[in-house]
Amino acid sequence: MGKDQYIVGIDFGTLSVRSSVIRVRDGFERGTAVSEYKHQVMDQNLTASENEPLPPDFALQNPTDYIESLIESVNQAVKDSGVVVKHIIGIGVDFTSPTVLATNSMGVPLCNFPEFKNRPHAYAKLWKHHAADDQAKRLLKEAQDRKEDWLSFYGGGLSAENTVCKIMETYEKDRELYDQATNFVNAVDWIVWQLTDQLIFSSADTGFKKNYQNGKYPSYDYLESVSKGFGNMYKEKMNAPIQAIGTEAGKLSKVMAEKLGLYPEISVAVGLNDGHVTPAAVKAVRPGILSAILGTSGCYFINSEKFKEVPGMLGIVYEGVVENLWCFEAGQTSFGDTFAWFTKNFVPSEYQEEAKKLNLNLHEYLTRKCSTQKIGQHGLIALDWNNGNRSILCDASLSGLLIGYTLTTKPEDIYRALMEACAFGARKIIETMNQYELEINEIVVAGGMLKNKFFMQMLSDITRLPISITKSNAIGALGSAIYGAVAAGCYPNITTASDAMGNKVPNVFKPNEEKAAAYDLLYEQYTALYTLFGEKQPEIMHQLKKIQKNSTLTINNKN
């Protein structure tokens, strides 16, 4: 292994793609570039076509944006690195998942065809597309009634984010488009298809997001019993070879090599979900270490030598992250998105003006104001379900809640309560893992929330766990590059590559027991609301969703 060999790590996020040129021997980042998607997330209007309004809970993207941003970011990253192109020997890639596309046999998304450009289901359904909640509930009930053996690998639940739910939504809402689709493919596999001209399913993504366990997908009889005619979906629409992570999916095609400014025939690794590359990037592939990716949403991963039926897990997959270990995934559907929503909609102009004078963004300004409060001073408790509950309840129809506000409540009070809610949600997940004998001794955090040191200390206090961090600004791209290095033959396995290329600063934040005890009092109230609205009476929030979806009343202002 030469000192001057490099891997291009490509990290497709919710709003942009980052490409980084990573040195194989030590994970050093030589160059990086970010390119934002032109159309971003289409959750209100179909802006990629006629700007038609979208139904509630839709979250779509235009896959053309992925390719354009990929080309721009890779070219710029290579230029920024100054690396001689012939020294770049491979590519590793990750993608938000499950982001699902309907394509023809050549991998062309159906939204690219004129006859389908105005059809929402022809576009990529982003991971946070929750409009398939009805399908998810029906699929889950039938799986429970039939005692489907794969259900235990998903904590006994099934999220609307799951691949099969989104495909069944297309089947039931736009049958013509479903029939025209040759393939339904998760974007993590689609982008590798574009790079190599080979359609290969990632074993990790297939296990986590497509319900593939014990060498098989859910049965024809099961799917057919939920929606007549849907039983052959896996056989007819998702029938590609499955290949292990850390292996080579194929070689970079001549066409894509020319567009990316790279040599053709270099190694392209099997893709991974964006969060799944993080444990390797932060040296957290061994048991006992919880990886927490806290960005727009919250994703959690921990590895164990043994399989355990832990409720509320999004997936439990053997070798889902590293060889010879089971990977357990949990998450929160809204993390940074919650704070972005609040600052966009509920911060008064005088706060914005004052923040500008202090040369602070609104997040920094609100954090500064709320950080001087005593724990519990604001008198509030919030639930972190602004985009549904991913774990432990697996219910996309749940929604946010704020209780305790009065006419004296200030924006910084609510902002802090939202931070505490997100930390309490993380604690709930950790406690559930502990209850089922998944030992956690350390949290390693990556993602945008690392910028907020006050929140990081809060999270340590609330969970009573030390928090390690990463100093890499491109942790997803680094993680992808690690898998790319293994696929290119630079390391014998993922653990060895992680040790050499990963980036972690241990125990930066340590729990304060006095503060932890104070937060316990608030956590008791959070748990009470969690139980009431999530377990005992979820129909309250469910009914609000139904009313919203069925609302057709138009106010006539002329009267």
Side-chain angles (χ1 to χ4, degrees):
M1 182 177 66
K3 293 183 178 179
D4 57 355
Q5 291 180 318
Y6 296 87
I7 302 289
V8 177
I10 303 171
D11 173 34
F12 283 88
T14 301
L15 303 176
S16 63
V17 58
R18 177 187 292 273
S19 297
S20 297
V21 180
I22 306 292
R23 192 161 61 196
V24 168
R25 63 183 168 91
D26 60 1
F28 179 73
E29 179 189 298
R30 281 293 300 268
T32 190
V34 177
S35 177
E36 294 187 354
Y37 307 138
K38 179 180 178 180
H39 297 95
Q40 295 288 287
V41 178
M42 297 181 288
D43 54 7
Q44 296 185 39
N45 295 285
L46 196 62
T47 55
S49 61
E50 301 297 330
N51 206 31
E52 292 294 325
L54 290 170
D57 297 324
F58 267 61
L60 308 178
Q61 289 191 316
N62 186 349
T64 300
D65 295 349
Y66 301 149
I67 299 299
E68 292 177 353
S69 290
L70 169 68
I71 294 169
E72 181 180 39
S73 65
V74 171
N75 278 278
Q76 186 58 46
V78 174
K79 180 180 179 181
D80 181 58
S81 73
V83 167
V84 177
V85 174
K86 69 178 181 180
H87 293 162
I88 298 175
I89 63 170
I91 292 174
V93 61
D94 70 74
F95 214 112
T96 61
S97 189
T99 295
V100 185
L101 293 82
T103 79
N104 70 2
S105 61
M106 302 299 292
V108 180
L110 295 192
C111 61
N112 288 11
F113 294 93
E115 62 267 34
F116 293 120
K117 72 173 185 177
N118 296 326
R119 309 268 277 268
H121 295 282
Y123 289 81
K125 294 183 179 181
L126 190 59
W127 61 268
K128 62 179 180 178
H129 175 90
H130 287 160
D133 189 51
D134 173 64
Q135 287 75 19
K137 284 182 167 60
R138 288 156 51 209
L139 284 162
L140 175 58
K141 184 179 185 305
E142 186 67 16
Q144 291 170 335
D145 291 345
R146 294 169 58 94
K147 296 181 171 56
E148 291 286 319
D149 56 3
W150 54 264
L151 197 58
S152 63
F153 293 89
Y154 303 93
L158 188 65
S159 168
E161 297 177 12
N162 188 278
T163 300
V164 67
C165 303
K166 292 172 178 173
I167 297 174
M168 194 169 101
E169 179 197 17
T170 299
Y171 175 79
E172 295 182 338
K173 300 295 185 180
D174 194 338
R175 180 62 183 274
E176 180 189 8
L177 188 142
Y178 175 89
D179 290 341
Q180 287 295 314
T182 305
N183 297 286
F184 282 91
V185 56
N186 283 359
V188 63
D189 298 320
W190 180 80
I191 200 67
V192 172
W193 190 3
Q194 305 311 295
L195 292 169
T196 65
D197 293 331
Q198 301 289 325
L199 176 56
I200 299 291
F201 284 172
S202 163
S203 61
D205 177 74
T206 302
F208 279 111
K209 305 303 180 184
K210 302 173 192 170
N211 305 107
Y212 185 87
Q213 297 287 353
N214 294 323
K216 60 183 180 180
Y217 290 109
S219 68
Y220 167 90
D221 290 341
Y222 161 67
L223 293 182
E224 189 70 12
S225 65
V226 181
S227 190
K228 187 174 178 58
F230 190 61
N232 275 325
M233 186 276 292
Y234 284 110
K235 180 180 179 180
E236 295 178 349
K237 307 290 186 179
M238 296 186 69
N239 190 18
I242 300 170
Q243 196 165 309
I245 58 175
T247 64
E248 184 180 273
K251 303 293 186 181
L252 183 64
S253 71
K254 291 182 179 180
V255 172
M256 284 304 297
E258 183 176 351
K259 292 179 179 180
L260 299 176
L262 300 174
Y263 274 42
E265 299 298 308
I266 65 173
S267 173
V268 179
V270 169
L272 283 92
N273 301 347
D274 57 341
H276 294 161
V277 301
T278 299
V282 298
K283 300 184 178 183
V285 296
R286 292 178 172 85
I289 308 173
L290 182 75
S291 299
I293 304 94
L294 306 182
T296 54
S297 63
C299 300
Y300 304 92
F301 304 94
I302 190 162
N303 293 306
S304 174
E305 294 178 351
K306 297 180 180 180
F307 171 79
K308 308 170 192 297
E309 293 190 22
V310 183
M313 297 298 99
L314 301 179
I316 308 170
V317 176
Y318 185 64
E319 296 188 338
V321 162
V322 66
E323 301 93 347
N324 304 318
L325 294 176
W326 289 90
C327 180
F328 296 73
E329 177 185 0
Q332 292 164 271
T333 54
S334 181
F335 220 96
D337 268 357
T338 292
F339 310 122
W341 160 80
F342 181 76
T343 56
K344 179 181 179 180
N345 294 287
F346 300 104
V347 179
S349 58
E350 57 264 32
Y351 276 54
Q352 299 178 41
E353 293 167 2
E354 183 63 21
K356 188 175 181 180
K357 289 179 183 178
L358 295 172
N359 198 29
L360 299 173
N361 64 44
L362 284 176
H363 299 287
E364 293 168 336
Y365 180 71
L366 289 169
T367 298
R368 176 182 289 189
K369 289 183 75 69
C370 74
S371 64
T372 60
Q373 296 179 350
K374 295 180 180 179
I375 296 171
Q377 179 180 328
H378 51 50
L380 304 172
I381 282 290
L383 289 175
D384 53 308
W385 302 344
N386 288 39
N387 200 25
N389 179 284
R390 185 183 284 164
S391 298
I392 300 295
L393 301 170
C394 301
D395 189 344
S397 290
L398 295 176
S399 50
L401 179 73
L402 178 70
I403 190 168
Y405 65 90
T406 69
L407 296 179
T408 62
T409 299
K410 296 180 173 61
E412 59 267 31
D413 300 334
I414 300 175
Y415 194 80
R416 176 163 179 154
L418 293 173
M419 281 198 285
E420 290 166 350
C422 287
F424 290 149
R427 175 172 169 176
K428 184 70 173 178
I429 290 169
I430 290 168
E431 287 184 345
T432 302
M433 290 177 169
N434 289 158
Q435 183 181 349
Y436 288 83
E437 300 181 347
L438 284 178
E439 183 181 4
I440 300 173
N441 304 310
E442 174 191 6
I443 305 175
V444 189
V445 175
M449 290 302 298
L450 275 177
K451 298 175 184 177
N452 194 318
K453 295 181 180 179
F454 173 71
F455 176 78
M456 286 296 106
Q457 184 58 56
M458 175 190 291
L459 182 63
S460 180
D461 294 336
I462 286 174
T463 61
R464 284 185 170 86
L465 287 169
I467 293 178
S468 303
I469 67 169
T470 176
K471 287 188 175 181
S472 172
N473 293 319
I475 202 67
L478 172 58
S480 293
I482 289 173
Y483 288 91
V486 177
C490 301
Y491 291 98
N493 55 55
I494 296 161
T495 301
T496 303
S498 173
D499 288 342
M501 299 176 67
N503 183 297
K504 180 172 79 170
V505 183
N507 300 333
V508 174
F509 300 94
K510 299 178 181 180
N512 178 301
E513 181 54 37
E514 183 179 353
K515 291 182 178 180
Y519 279 123
D520 283 345
L521 299 177
L522 290 177
Y523 183 65
E524 288 180 11
Q525 308 313 310
Y526 172 89
T527 301
L529 293 177
Y530 191 104
T531 301
L532 177 61
F533 287 96
E535 298 173 359
K536 293 183 177 180
Q537 295 183 343
E539 63 274 7
I540 295 175
M541 292 181 176
H542 292 172
Q543 188 62 28
L544 289 174
K545 284 283 188 180
K546 289 180 181 178
I547 293 171
Q548 180 187 41
K549 289 182 179 180
N550 296 330
S551 176
T552 58
L553 176 64
T554 301
I555 298 175
N556 188 345
N557 291 322
K558 293 182 180 180
N559 296 330

